[in-house]
Amino acid sequence: MASKAVEKRQQAAPAKVDPRDEPSAEWGWHGGFPKGARIAGWITVVALLAMIYNNHENNTENVWLIAIAAGIVIGLLVDIKKKRTAWRR
């Protein structure tokens, strides 16, 4: 049964993008904004850490703000590492 499914996939032509659905297909851009995402990530980290200096009843809010900021920083550092070593693949 699996072999029939494989045969059907091999016979099927790759789907082409209709320019009416995605106008950018005509001029070939289907990318993202990696540099913009990195900048937005660092701005978010700074904004989260700036929220620490506020009037809080206890430090639970501070723990959450620092933990979320640290998670974003770790993600950004992993992204930088992947960008540096992408040419080695």
Side-chain angles (χ1 to χ4, degrees), residues 13-54:
K16 294 191 178 185
V17 177
D18 187 9
R20 289 176 290 175
D21 295 333
E22 297 183 29
S24 62
E26 291 179 349
W27 45 276
W29 183 78
H30 272 0
F33 297 101
K35 190 173 183 180
R38 288 184 200 107
I39 292 170
W42 288 113
I43 290 172
T44 303
V45 168
V46 170
L48 286 171
L49 295 177
M51 287 183 203
I52 291 174
Y53 301 105
N54 202 347

